[in-house]
Amino acid sequence: MSHRAAWSSLAAAGLLFLAGCASEPTRIQPGTSAAETLQRLGAPTGRYPLNGGGERLQYSRMPAGFEVVDIDLDASGKVVSVTQVLTEARFDHDIQVDRWRQNEVLAFYGKPYEISRVSSFDGTVWTWRYKAINERRMLYIYIDPTGVVRRYHTGDDLEFERIRD
């Protein structure tokens, strides 16, 4: 391979790397405009109004991924926070049992990986995949028939084990 071809290949790889970084939601900095955020990341998977006239742009990697990033904008359209919300360290603080309704769950975590039922609960169980120190895990949120969050818990993601067997 000539030096010119090698440099071209290296430059192309570098551009692909930079393009990947530019489209990573967690790399958006506070103060970035909504227009620049949308230009860099593309259309969000969800948009939700916030108190005070702001808006949440949500970038979810569900159903196959493990991250949901909420980018909150103030009323002037500037980024005020960027948060990867699917982390065990946040669940106890964020999830509001007996207070959140299903629309608030959607606005925080986006569409779940799966919605199911279990015989021990009158309602639905919404499930998201996430990673905890590179271990595949699941977040289960139990929503009663009136749409209120009644409990949640985490567990191992056994789907991967079934696929490997």
Side-chain angles (χ1 to χ4, degrees), residues 13-26:
L15 287 173
L16 285 174
F17 175 76
L18 289 174
C21 291
S23 65
E24 173 57 41
T26 58

Side-chain angles (χ1 to χ4, degrees), residues 14-139:
L15 287 173
L16 285 174
F17 175 76
L18 289 174
C21 291
S23 65
E24 173 57 41
T26 58
R27 296 194 184 266
I28 299 294
Q29 296 296 312
T32 304
S33 71
E36 183 180 344
T37 300
L38 291 167
Q39 180 183 12
R40 287 175 55 190
L41 301 178
T45 55
R47 291 180 95 140
Y48 304 94
L50 296 173
N51 292 336
E55 181 180 29
R56 172 167 292 151
L57 304 178
Q58 191 171 73
Y59 291 87
S60 173
R61 298 213 169 134
M62 293 291 132
F66 301 94
E67 296 176 346
V68 174
V69 177
D70 288 347
I71 300 176
D72 290 352
L73 307 171
D74 63 17
S76 71
K78 297 287 185 190
V79 172
V80 292
S81 68
V82 178
T83 308
Q84 200 296 92
V85 294
L86 284 178
T87 65
E88 284 184 352
R90 298 189 55 91
F91 296 153
D92 285 340
H93 176 266
D94 293 335
I95 300 171
Q96 298 178 29
V97 173
D98 296 328
R99 291 185 54 205
W100 266 5
R101 300 193 61 77
Q102 69 184 35
N103 62 330
E104 292 164 304
V105 175
L106 281 172
F108 206 82
Y109 293 116
K111 292 179 184 173
Y113 161 72
E114 167 180 87
I115 297 175
S116 60
R117 293 187 171 275
V118 294
S119 61
S120 61
F121 179 73
D122 182 22
T124 57
V125 181
W126 293 18
T127 307
W128 290 262
R129 288 188 146 133
Y130 70 97
K131 283 192 177 179
I133 311 173
N134 293 323
E135 291 294 321
R136 296 167 59 110
R137 305 275 294 157
M138 304 290 262
L139 167 64

